[in-house]
Coordinates of all heavy atoms in Angstrom, one line a residue:
G1 N 68.1 55.6 -37.8 CA 67.2 54.9 -36.9 C 67.7 54.6 -35.5 O 68.8 54.9 -35.1
N2 N 66.8 54.0 -34.8 CA 67.2 53.5 -33.4 C 66.3 52.1 -33.1 O 65.4 51.8 -33.8 CB 66.7 54.4 -32.2 CG 67.5 55.7 -32.2 OD1 66.9 56.8 -32.4 ND2 68.7 55.6 -31.8
R3 N 66.9 51.3 -32.2 CA 66.2 50.1 -31.7 C 65.7 50.3 -30.3 O 66.1 51.3 -29.6 CB 67.2 49.0 -31.6 CG 67.3 48.2 -33.0 CD 68.1 49.0 -34.1 NE 69.3 49.5 -33.8 CZ 69.9 50.4 -34.4 NH1 69.3 51.2 -35.3 NH2 71.2 50.8 -34.1
L4 N 64.9 49.4 -29.8 CA 64.5 49.4 -28.4 C 65.7 49.3 -27.5 O 65.8 50.1 -26.6 CB 63.6 48.2 -28.1 CG 62.2 48.2 -28.7 CD1 61.5 47.0 -28.3 CD2 61.4 49.4 -28.2
V5 N 66.6 48.5 -27.7 CA 67.8 48.4 -27.1 C 69.0 48.4 -28.1 O 68.8 47.9 -29.3 CB 68.0 47.1 -26.2 CG1 67.0 47.2 -25.0 CG2 67.8 45.8 -27.1
E6 N 70.2 48.9 -27.8 CA 71.2 49.0 -28.8 C 72.5 48.5 -28.0 O 72.5 48.3 -26.8 CB 71.5 50.4 -29.3 CG 70.2 50.8 -30.1 CD 70.3 52.3 -30.6 OE1 71.3 52.9 -30.3 OE2 69.3 52.7 -31.3
F7 N 73.7 48.5 -28.8 CA 74.9 48.1 -28.2 C 75.6 49.5 -27.9 O 75.7 50.3 -28.7 CB 75.8 47.3 -29.2 CG 75.2 46.1 -29.6 CD1 74.6 45.7 -30.9 CD2 75.0 45.0 -28.6 CE1 74.1 44.6 -31.2 CE2 74.4 43.8 -29.0 CZ 74.0 43.6 -30.2
E8 N 76.1 49.4 -26.6 CA 76.9 50.5 -26.1 C 78.1 50.8 -27.1 O 78.7 49.8 -27.5 CB 77.4 50.2 -24.7 CG 78.2 51.4 -24.1 CD 78.7 51.0 -22.7 OE1 79.5 49.9 -22.6 OE2 78.2 51.6 -21.7
R9 N 78.4 52.0 -27.4 CA 79.5 52.3 -28.4 C 80.7 51.6 -28.0 O 81.2 51.7 -26.9 CB 79.7 53.8 -28.5 CG 78.6 54.5 -29.2 CD 79.1 55.8 -29.9 NE 79.7 56.7 -29.1 CZ 80.6 57.6 -29.4 NH1 80.9 57.8 -30.6 NH2 81.1 58.5 -28.5
G10 N 81.3 50.9 -29.0 CA 82.6 50.2 -28.8 C 82.6 48.9 -28.0 O 83.6 48.3 -27.8
T11 N 81.4 48.4 -27.8 CA 81.2 47.2 -26.9 C 80.1 46.4 -27.6 O 79.4 46.8 -28.5 CB 80.9 47.4 -25.4 OG1 79.5 47.8 -25.3 CG2 81.8 48.5 -24.9
T12 N 79.8 45.2 -26.9 CA 78.7 44.4 -27.4 C 77.6 44.4 -26.2 O 76.9 43.4 -26.1 CB 79.1 43.0 -27.8 OG1 79.9 42.3 -26.6 CG2 80.0 43.0 -29.0
K13 N 77.8 45.3 -25.3 CA 76.9 45.4 -24.1 C 75.5 45.9 -24.5 O 75.5 47.1 -25.1 CB 77.5 46.2 -23.0 CG 76.6 46.4 -21.8 CD 77.3 47.3 -20.8 CE 76.4 47.6 -19.6 NZ 77.0 48.6 -18.7
V14 N 74.4 45.3 -24.3 CA 73.1 45.8 -24.6 C 72.6 46.9 -23.6 O 72.8 46.7 -22.4 CB 72.1 44.6 -24.6 CG1 70.7 45.2 -24.8 CG2 72.4 43.7 -25.7
V15 N 72.3 48.0 -24.1 CA 71.9 49.2 -23.2 C 70.5 49.7 -23.6 O 70.1 49.4 -24.8 CB 73.0 50.3 -23.2 CG1 74.3 49.7 -22.6 CG2 73.2 50.8 -24.7
P16 N 69.9 50.5 -22.9 CA 68.6 51.1 -23.3 C 68.7 52.1 -24.4 O 69.7 52.8 -24.5 CB 68.1 51.8 -22.0 CG 68.9 51.1 -20.8 CD 70.1 50.7 -21.5
A17 N 67.7 52.1 -25.2 CA 67.6 53.2 -26.3 C 66.2 53.7 -26.3 O 65.9 54.6 -25.5 CB 68.0 52.5 -27.6
L18 N 65.4 53.2 -27.3 CA 64.0 53.6 -27.3 C 63.2 53.0 -26.2 O 62.1 53.5 -25.9 CB 63.3 53.2 -28.7 CG 63.9 54.0 -29.9 CD1 63.2 53.6 -31.2 CD2 63.7 55.5 -29.7
A19 N 63.8 51.9 -25.6 CA 63.1 51.4 -24.3 C 64.0 51.9 -23.2 O 65.3 51.9 -23.3 CB 63.1 50.0 -24.4
T20 N 63.5 52.4 -22.0 CA 64.3 52.8 -21.0 C 64.5 51.8 -19.9 O 65.6 51.8 -19.2 CB 63.5 54.0 -20.2 OG1 62.3 53.5 -19.8 CG2 63.3 55.1 -21.1
S21 N 63.7 50.6 -20.0 CA 63.9 49.5 -19.2 C 63.2 48.3 -19.6 O 62.3 48.5 -20.5 CB 63.5 49.8 -17.7 OG 62.1 50.1 -17.7
W22 N 63.4 47.2 -19.2 CA 62.7 45.9 -19.5 C 62.7 44.9 -18.4 O 63.7 45.0 -17.5 CB 63.2 45.4 -20.8 CG 64.7 45.0 -20.8 CD1 65.2 43.8 -20.4 CD2 65.8 45.8 -21.0 NE1 66.6 43.9 -20.4 CE2 66.9 45.1 -20.9 CE3 65.9 47.2 -21.6 CZ2 68.3 45.6 -21.1 CZ3 67.1 47.7 -21.8 CH2 68.3 47.0 -21.5
E23 N 61.8 44.1 -18.4 CA 61.6 43.0 -17.4 C 61.4 41.7 -18.2 O 60.7 41.6 -19.1 CB 60.6 43.2 -16.4 CG 60.8 44.4 -15.4 CD 59.6 44.6 -14.5 OE1 58.6 43.8 -14.6 OE2 59.7 45.4 -13.6
M24 N 62.1 40.6 -17.7 CA 61.9 39.2 -18.3 C 61.1 38.4 -17.3 O 61.4 38.5 -16.1 CB 63.2 38.6 -18.6 CG 63.0 37.2 -19.3 SD 64.7 36.4 -19.6 CE 65.2 36.0 -18.0
S25 N 60.1 37.6 -17.6 CA 59.4 36.7 -16.7 C 60.3 35.6 -16.3 O 61.4 35.3 -16.9 CB 58.2 36.1 -17.5 OG 58.6 35.4 -18.6

């Protein structure tokens, strides 16, 4: 599987996966 966002390998940093970008209000 995949998620919209995932953790960069070896870290806990959230990076794009099935989503390429996102915006928060």
Side-chain angles (χ1 to χ4, degrees):
N2 289 118
R3 274 71 58 205
L4 291 175
V5 293
E6 297 179 358
F7 298 112
E8 183 178 63
R9 285 207 306 160
T11 77
T12 57
K13 178 184 177 182
V14 174
V15 295
L18 291 179
T20 56
S21 64
W22 58 89
E23 293 181 355
M24 182 183 74
S25 62

